Amino acid sequence: MTPANLAEAVLAAAHAVFARRGLDPSVLPESVALERPRNPEHGDYASTIALQLSKRVGVPPRDLAAALAEELGRTPGVKSVEIAGPGFLNLRLDPAAAGQLAREVVQAGQAYGSSDRLTGQRVNLEFVSANPTGPIHLGHTRWAAVGDSLRRILAKAGAEVTSEHYVNDAGVQIERFGRSLYAAARGEPTPEDGYPGEYVTEIATRVVAERPDVFDLPADEAMIVFQDRGYHLMLDEMRASLERFGVHFDVWFSERTLHSSGAVEHALGRLREQGHVYDADGAIWLRTTDFGDDKDRVLIRSNGELTYFAADSAYYINKRERGFDKCVYLLGADHHGYVNRLRAIAACAGDDPDFNIEILIGQLVNLVRNGVPVRLSKRAGNIITLDDIVDAVGVDAARYSLARSSTDSPLTLDIDEITKNSNDNPVHYVRYAHARIASLLRYAVDLGVTRGDDFDPGLLSHAKENELIKTLGEFPGVVATAAELREPHRIARYLEELAGTYHRFYDACRVLPVGDEPATDLTRARLWLVEASRIVLANGLALLGVSAPERM
C-alpha cells in the first residue's frame, strides 16, 4: 500500500463516519496529508485529520479520532490504528500491504514518481538567458542545473513544460561585442567598454576565416559583419556548452524578433487598451506603480527609442499569447529589482500576477579549492565558465552539487569536496548506492538467482525493510512537492535519505544466499525490494540530470 493509497483510505473513512453521524461533508478536504513519525514506535504513518475537523463539526477530537480508527481498522492492509494525545491517528500497515509497494515500483519502472498534480498547466520556464557576448559563466551554470532539473520535475508532476532561453541580441551589448571583435581582429586593444578574454580573439579569428574580405569593407560595414557573425558563433558555443552539461532548450527566443515581427507595438497597444499607458514629458509610460512597482516605467523615450522594459513587456505578452498559463523566470541575484516590475507587467496586461507569473531569484555561487577561490578563466578573462566547471569536476558532480541547495542561499562549492570518492560527498553517496545495487544484481545473475515473476510481500517484515519501503513510498509526494514549490533540492535531499536507508537495510538484511544455501522466497522478495530501490534512485537522479552508474 502506498502512502497515497493510505491517504485515500483515511479520507474514505472520514466520509463514512460523517455519513453515519449526519455531519456536514462539505468541510471534508479534497485530500489528506500523512506524516511519517520520527519514532517508529508511533506507527508507520500519522494523521491529524481528527484535530483539523473537530472544531468544524463540533465533535471532540478524540471522539472523532475513535470513530475514524474504528472505520480504518476495517480497511484491508491496515494492521492497527492508535489514538495518541488530543486526537492524533497513528497507523500501522501489515507487512503484506506495505511490501506490495515493491511490486508497484518495479512494475511502474521509469514512470514511478509521476503524478497528475500539475496536469493541465502549460508552463513556460525561462532560465540562464545569458547575453550572447561571452561564455556561460558560473552564475548561469547554477541556473542551468536548477532550471533543467525543475523542467524535468514539473513534467514528472504532469505539467506541460517548455524550456526557453531568451537571447538578448538587440541591445547595445551586441554593438560592444562587435567592436571588441573588430579590435581583436585588427590586433588593437579592447575598447574601454568592450569584452576582454581570449575567446574574443578566437571568435574574431573565425569571423575573418569565414569572411577573408571583411577588411576590404568600409569600417562600419566590417563592424556589422563582426557583430552579426560573431554573435551567432558565440551563441553556437553557448548551445554546445549547455548541451554538454545536459541542458537542452526547447526554444531559443531572439529579442530581435520582438521588434522585427511588430510584437512590441502589438504589446504596447494591448497595454494601452488596458488603460495603463500614458504620455508625459514627451515619453510613453506604463503606470506600474498601480501594481506594486516603486516607479512608473518608460516604454518609449522622448527621442523615440524603445526601452528594455518595452521589450520585457512584449516578451511577457508574447509568452501568454503562445498559450502558457504560467510564465516562470529564473533570474540571478542582481535581478532582484525585476520582481515587482515583471509582476506589474502581468497585472497591467490584465493577468493575475499571483498565478500567471513567477520570478525566482537565485543567489551567488563561488568555486573554491580547499577553501581558496579558484583562479579565473584564462580564456574568458574575468569569469569562471561552465566548461571550466565541467572540466574540473564533471557533469554529474556539478549538476548534483548546484541543485542540492536552495537557491535562496549563496553557495560555495569546493572542487576537492564534491569530487572525492567518500560517503561524506553527497553525490558520491547517492550514486554509490545505485552502483552497489547494480553490483548485487549482477552477482545474483552469476549465482543463477532471480526475483521471479512474483513474490510474497508479507515476507518483508524486518524493521529495516519496513523503513526502506516507507522511504520508497514517499518519492511521488516529494516530486510533487518539489514541483509545486519549485525546489529541486528536495529531490537531492530525499535521495540522500533513501541512500542511507538502503545502506542500513543492506547491512541488516542479507539478500543473497551464501555458499551452498538455496535461494528462498525471502531471497526473491528482497530482490524485488532491491530492484525497487534501484529504480527510485535512478528516477530521482534522472530528475537532476545526473547519471546512475552501474559501476564505481
Side-chain angles (χ1 to χ4, degrees):
M1 178 180 287
T2 66
N5 297 146
L6 183 57
E8 291 171 1
V10 172
L11 187 57
H15 277 280
V17 169
F18 272 50
R20 189 162 55 248
R21 293 194 170 197
L23 301 175
D24 179 9
S26 67
V27 304
L28 290 171
E30 294 184 1
S31 61
V32 173
L34 299 178
E35 299 175 358
R36 274 182 60 189
R38 293 185 178 180
N39 186 346
E41 294 182 0
H42 295 163
D44 296 326
Y45 298 95
S47 173
T48 59
I49 188 171
L51 296 169
Q52 295 169 4
L53 296 175
S54 64
K55 289 184 179 180
R56 300 180 188 179
V57 295
V59 177
R62 283 190 66 90
D63 290 353
L64 187 56
L68 290 168
E70 181 181 357
E71 188 69 33
L72 280 166
R74 294 191 286 268
T75 302
V78 175
K79 181 179 180 180
S80 66
V81 186
E82 299 172 355
I83 304 169
F88 295 101
L89 292 175
N90 291 335
L91 302 96
R92 287 182 173 82
L93 301 180
D94 65 48
Q100 178 68 19
L101 179 73
R103 178 183 287 111
E104 295 181 20
V105 174
V106 172
Q107 291 176 343
Q110 291 182 356
Y112 184 69
S114 301
S115 73
D116 59 0
R117 188 77 65 91
L118 301 183
T119 296
Q121 290 190 17
R122 292 197 65 203
V123 179
N124 181 284
L125 181 64
E126 183 202 335
F127 56 100
V128 180
S129 294
N131 287 339
T133 55
I136 302 293
H137 63 59
L138 181 57
H140 296 134
T141 303
R142 185 178 196 183
W143 272 135
V146 172
D148 189 63
S149 296
L150 183 56
R151 174 188 66 82
R152 297 163 188 250
I153 293 165
L154 290 170
K156 195 79 169 176
E160 181 182 342
V161 189
T162 294
S163 59
E164 188 153 315
H165 188 294
Y166 183 62
V167 182
N168 299 93
D169 54 5
V172 295
Q173 73 275 2
I174 295 296
E175 297 175 7
R176 290 166 50 202
F177 187 50
R179 291 198 302 272
S180 301
L181 294 171
Y182 183 70
R186 291 169 58 88
E188 298 172 352
T190 302
E192 186 175 342
D193 61 349
Y195 293 90
E198 290 185 0
Y199 78 94
V200 175
T201 302
E202 293 171 8
I203 292 176
T205 301
R206 291 171 62 186
V207 173
V208 173
E210 291 183 7
R211 288 291 306 272
D213 64 333
V214 66
F215 291 118
D216 297 333
L217 301 173
D220 56 345
E221 293 182 26
M223 197 84 71
I224 294 298
V225 171
F226 279 103
Q227 177 178 303
D228 288 348
R229 189 60 197 138
Y231 132 67
H232 282 102
L233 290 171
M234 191 70 253
L235 203 59
D236 289 344
E237 282 200 16
M238 292 168 61
R239 283 196 183 98
S241 294
L242 288 163
E243 291 283 354
R244 180 190 180 197
F245 198 52
V247 178
H248 172 78
F249 284 98
D250 300 313
V251 175
W252 288 75
F253 191 97
S254 166
E255 182 185 351
R256 291 181 179 183
T257 63
L258 290 174
H259 301 279
S260 62
S261 67
V264 175
E265 290 78 6
H266 167 73
L268 299 191
R270 176 173 166 181
L271 292 169
R272 190 178 286 277
E273 288 174 3
Q274 292 288 332
H276 302 294
V277 174
Y278 67 95
D279 301 300
D281 302 323
I284 298 177
W285 301 70
L286 187 64
R287 191 175 286 106
T288 55
T289 51
D290 287 347
F291 301 103
D293 199 3
D294 58 337
K295 63 181 179 180
D296 290 342
R297 302 290 170 175
V298 178
L299 295 167
I300 303 179
R301 298 186 179 92
S302 57
N303 62 4
E305 290 183 356
L306 291 168
T307 63
Y308 282 118
F309 187 74
D312 289 340
S313 301
Y315 184 41
Y316 170 78
I317 290 173
N318 175 276
K319 288 181 179 181
R320 292 283 288 123
E321 292 183 347
R322 279 187 275 151
F324 295 107
D325 308 307
K326 287 184 177 291
C327 301
V328 182
Y329 295 73
L330 277 60
L331 304 178
D334 56 338
H335 287 73
H336 197 276
Y338 279 64
V339 174
N340 285 339
R341 71 185 72 169
L342 287 172
R343 285 175 54 83
I345 289 172
C348 289
D351 288 341
D352 179 358
D354 291 329
F355 178 81
N356 297 114
I357 190 168
E358 296 178 36
I359 303 98
L360 309 179
I361 299 295
Q363 297 304 313
L364 299 175
V365 55
N366 297 300
L367 197 64
V368 302
R369 190 188 297 272
N370 290 325
V372 179
V374 172
R375 290 181 59 189
L376 300 179
S377 170
K378 181 179 179 181
R379 180 175 184 266
N382 60 347
I383 60 174
I384 300 170
T385 70
L386 185 158
D387 289 327
D388 293 333
I389 299 167
V390 171
D391 289 342
V393 306
V395 171
D396 289 327
R399 286 196 60 136
Y400 189 96
S401 301
L402 288 164
R404 79 177 291 267
S405 298
S406 170
T407 55
D408 292 338
S409 303
L411 178 62
T412 297
L413 299 182
D414 190 307
I415 289 176
D416 293 319
E417 291 296 320
I418 66 177
T419 55
K420 68 181 180 182
N421 296 328
S422 163
N423 287 340
D424 294 332
N425 175 12
V427 63
H428 173 83
Y429 187 64
V430 172
R431 297 174 76 240
Y432 173 67
H434 186 276
R436 188 179 194 183
I437 292 173
S439 175
L440 182 150
L441 295 176
R442 286 194 301 273
Y443 186 50
V445 171
D446 292 341
L447 293 176
V449 177
T450 65
R451 68 172 188 272
D453 296 329
D454 203 356
F455 72 104
D456 180 0
L459 295 174
L460 299 174
S461 58
H462 191 283
K464 296 303 180 184
E465 292 168 336
N466 183 259
E467 182 185 2
L468 180 55
I469 289 166
K470 287 187 290 186
T471 304
L472 294 173
E474 290 182 346
F475 183 58
V478 171
V479 175
T481 300
E484 289 181 326
L485 299 180
R486 320 305 194 217
E487 294 181 342
H489 69 272
R490 290 176 176 267
I491 303 296
R493 299 311 172 100
Y494 165 81
L495 290 174
E496 290 160 30
E497 178 188 357
L498 174 57
T501 305
Y502 175 79
H503 290 316
R504 289 190 293 274
F505 151 77
Y506 183 83
D507 292 342
C509 302
R510 181 155 55 85
V511 177
L512 297 176
V514 176
D516 295 330
E517 291 179 356
T520 65
D521 288 342
L522 178 59
T523 301
R524 285 180 279 276
R526 284 178 172 169
L527 281 173
W528 277 79
L529 182 56
V530 166
E531 174 62 6
S533 302
R534 187 200 65 76
I535 288 170
V536 176
L537 284 166
N539 290 359
L541 286 168
L543 291 177
L544 300 178
V546 176
S547 68
E550 298 291 319
R551 291 178 170 83
M552 285 183 71

